[in-house]
Amino acid sequence: MKQRQCIIQSCLPEDIAFKIISFLEESEVCALGCCSRFWRNLCGSDCIWESLSKQRWPLLNNESSSVQNSGPTSEGWRGFYMNRHIEIVNGATDVVKHVEQCTRSESLEVGDYLQAVEDLSTMHLGFKDVQMFLFKPKLNVLLNLVGLHYCIFRLNVPPEYVAEALKSHKISDRQVCVKWWKLGRWFYGFRMRDEYHSRWVSLADLVTKKEEEVLGVLHRGAIHEVLRVQISFVISLDTPWFSRGMLGQG
């Protein structure tokens, strides 16, 4: 068996072998590299890991990006990939902990929500990273929402791609409740009572124009006429802070 394997490997052109490897995911490349010395040498090649790195982190293709400037040094692309993967794991774990700490009361204020999105942006996560670490069914749905928001507004991933990712990870039907309070309008010199809005939406609906208004509220946050935005994943019987709308009367 080993002799036959050696014969096949000796007859296999190197460019064909590299072409085979190029169709594999990272874990599959590592598994193939454990099969023999022949495959280990090929699977450890810089060109393979450069391609894998740029597929996972497209910003590496942008010469002006900070990710590109922190590219591989003497460690090569494989070492760069492994080290960056560890950084992403640690950073994503911190974001998960941050959101979970902020949602102990089963709701999240929009300031904390947008801070989580900003943290992801600082780490330069790629679309694949979001799917690996934030599109998990076992996670709090608010973390799924943070990942969705980041993909659309920071990575500019086409909505249909995000929708497909939500579906493949079986989280597209998960729902959140978005509440927002708006400053009361002026009417003949008097300011009317502050407005209260509440909407239950699924993650799938947020990536379509069906719930474009809700996604816009989340993206803008509490600015101008919007006094407060709160996201929750359970039905709340009370509406805390809503009573403050009485203060808006003229």
Side-chain angles (χ1 to χ4, degrees):
M1 183 67 182
K2 289 185 178 180
Q3 184 178 5
R4 182 183 299 177
Q5 186 181 43
C6 291
I7 293 174
I8 294 174
Q9 291 173 358
S10 62
C11 297
L12 185 65
E14 193 172 274
D15 59 332
I16 300 298
F18 276 124
K19 188 66 175 178
I20 293 172
I21 299 172
S22 69
F23 290 108
L24 304 179
E25 297 288 336
E26 295 88 333
S27 59
E28 296 169 333
V29 172
C30 293
L32 181 60
C34 295
C35 292
S36 67
R37 182 178 300 175
F38 171 81
W39 287 112
R40 181 170 66 249
N41 291 336
L42 291 182
C43 290
S45 300
D46 230 31
C47 62
I48 294 296
W49 289 96
E50 179 181 4
S51 176
L52 289 172
S53 297
K54 290 184 176 181
Q55 287 176 26
R56 183 168 172 182
W57 301 296
L59 285 175
L60 287 169
N61 297 307
N62 184 353
E63 294 183 357
S64 63
S65 104
S66 59
V67 177
Q68 204 280 341
N69 294 331
S70 63
T73 54
S74 59
E75 63 190 1
W77 280 99
R78 187 174 186 277
F80 167 80
Y81 184 98
M82 299 303 175
N83 290 334
R84 177 146 177 77
H85 174 76
I86 293 172
E87 291 177 3
I88 295 294
V89 170
N90 293 334
T93 300
D94 289 340
V95 170
V96 170
K97 289 180 178 178
H98 166 73
V99 172
E100 288 179 342
Q101 288 175 354
C102 294
T103 55
R104 288 177 178 174
S105 61
E106 300 174 336
S107 64
L108 182 66
E109 295 295 329
V110 75
D112 295 320
Y113 169 82
L114 292 175
Q115 182 59 55
V117 175
E118 182 61 33
D119 290 342
L120 296 180
S121 183
T122 301
M123 292 184 287
H124 301 289
L125 265 70
F127 185 35
K128 190 170 184 177
D129 295 318
V130 175
Q131 296 180 69
M132 290 172 64
F133 302 115
L134 295 175
F135 280 1
K136 295 179 179 180
K138 293 183 179 180
L139 285 178
N140 186 320
V141 64
L142 298 184
L143 284 161
N144 301 156
L145 178 62
V146 168
L148 180 156
H149 189 124
Y150 174 74
C151 289
I152 292 178
F153 290 103
R154 298 302 177 92
L155 295 181
N156 297 315
V157 178
E160 57 270 23
Y161 290 0
V162 179
E164 183 60 33
L166 296 175
K167 184 177 179 181
S168 65
H169 288 83
K170 300 179 180 180
I171 60 173
S172 56
D173 292 332
R174 302 189 78 184
Q175 293 188 325
V176 295
C177 180
V178 180
K179 305 173 185 177
W180 65 99
W181 290 261
K182 295 177 67 174
L183 194 65
R185 301 175 183 178
W186 285 94
F187 184 75
Y188 288 104
F190 294 92
R191 192 155 65 85
M192 303 179 69
R193 180 179 298 182
D194 294 345
E195 301 174 13
Y196 167 70
H197 301 266
S198 179
R199 191 86 58 82
W200 276 96
V201 294
S202 69
L203 297 181
D205 287 341
L206 283 172
V207 295
T208 65
K209 292 185 177 180
K210 183 177 179 180
E211 295 296 349
E212 193 172 16
E213 179 189 9
V214 177
L215 195 59
V217 168
L218 290 173
H219 184 56
R220 291 189 297 272
I223 59 170
H224 304 312
E225 78 282 0
V226 179
L227 302 174
R228 186 188 184 191
V229 182
Q230 187 183 65
I231 315 114
S232 60
F233 54 95
V234 295
I235 298 176
S236 179
L237 298 179
D238 59 340
T239 53
W241 197 83
F242 174 59
S243 58
R244 289 178 57 181
M246 296 296 292
L247 298 176
Q249 296 182 4

